[in-house]
Amino acid sequence: MDNLIYIFAVLGCLIVLRLIKSLLKPSTPRADYILNKALFSEAERSFYGVLNQSLPDEMIVMGKVRVADILTPHKRLGKSKWQAAFNKIAYKHVDFILCDKHDLSILAAIELDDKSYRATKTKSRDAFLNDAFESANLPLIRFPAQRSYIPTAVREKILAALSTSLPTDPTVSMTASEVTR
């Protein structure tokens, strides 16, 4: 009988020690996610700097924006077609968007086309995005990735795209100079 009490006491101590050890042991960090080194690729980072130099003071640049945060399928599509249209844009993003500095309204989207632009899958994606942005009457401006850019040329291309997307409603009067305020 004394041996049985001794065995239970030892087992109880072992359980308590194991519990204390597990409480004191630092937990192993979860490895579900790792931090990306940077938001932009080297080419995108370089172009981001040129964009900031090129834009009028009234505009700001935002990067890596989901298309679904810019465009929404039209309600007239009905529930199932709306969902199908949303699914096509939900996981896509554009490299940059230009916004009005004062109210953050979206003025245009910008894509930086690198070598992958020539791939069949990328061409299909780009054609879809071109159509989607055109249907929403929002300029999608494409720039080829290159080693260097001329900021004035970037600015001119952006302003030209913005001036062609001005409202066509005759009751709305806006000039190209008002786009750049």
Side-chain angles (χ1 to χ4, degrees):
M1 188 76 151
D2 287 336
N3 286 342
L4 194 55
I5 293 173
Y6 177 74
I7 291 173
F8 280 122
V10 169
L11 284 175
C13 286
L14 288 174
I15 291 171
V16 169
L17 287 174
R18 182 167 228 160
L19 180 62
I20 291 171
K21 182 180 177 183
S22 70
L23 291 174
L24 295 176
K25 180 181 173 184
S27 62
T28 306
R30 293 188 54 175
D32 294 346
Y33 299 98
I34 59 170
L35 178 65
N36 290 329
K37 292 181 181 180
L39 179 62
F40 296 127
S41 69
E42 194 174 312
E44 290 166 337
R45 172 61 190 101
S46 172
F47 190 69
Y48 177 78
V50 172
L51 274 175
N52 279 317
Q53 289 176 357
S54 304
L55 294 177
D57 289 338
E58 293 78 23
M59 292 182 197
I60 60 170
V61 181
M62 296 188 185
K64 302 283 187 178
V65 179
R66 270 186 343 143
V67 174
D69 292 327
I70 303 167
L71 306 179
T72 301
H74 201 289
K75 291 178 183 178
R76 75 170 186 270
L77 293 174
K79 194 173 185 175
S80 65
K81 287 184 180 180
W82 184 97
Q83 189 63 54
F86 180 81
N87 291 344
K88 289 180 182 180
I89 61 172
Y91 299 106
K92 290 178 175 57
H93 76 274
V94 292
D95 295 322
F96 306 99
I97 60 168
L98 302 180
C99 294
D100 180 287
K101 189 178 204 172
H102 306 289
D103 64 7
L104 296 181
S105 58
I106 301 166
L107 303 172
I110 295 179
E111 283 281 85
L112 186 61
D113 295 328
D114 58 12
K115 295 175 205 169
S116 69
Y117 179 69
R118 292 180 222 120
T120 304
K121 184 177 179 182
T122 306
K123 283 183 182 180
S124 173
R125 174 201 176 273
D126 290 346
F128 168 76
L129 285 181
N130 290 342
D131 290 343
F133 279 85
E134 185 178 334
S135 75
N137 198 32
L138 183 69
L140 176 58
I141 308 165
R142 294 187 174 278
F143 287 91
Q146 50 195 49
R147 290 193 186 273
S148 64
Y149 303 90
I150 300 169
T152 54
V154 170
R155 180 185 181 108
E156 287 171 9
K157 185 171 182 175
I158 290 169
L159 294 178
L162 291 175
S163 68
T164 60
S165 69
L166 294 174
T168 54
D169 184 341
T171 63
V172 176
S173 100
M174 182 184 252
T175 65
S177 63
E178 289 176 302
V179 171
T180 61
R181 280 184 244 223

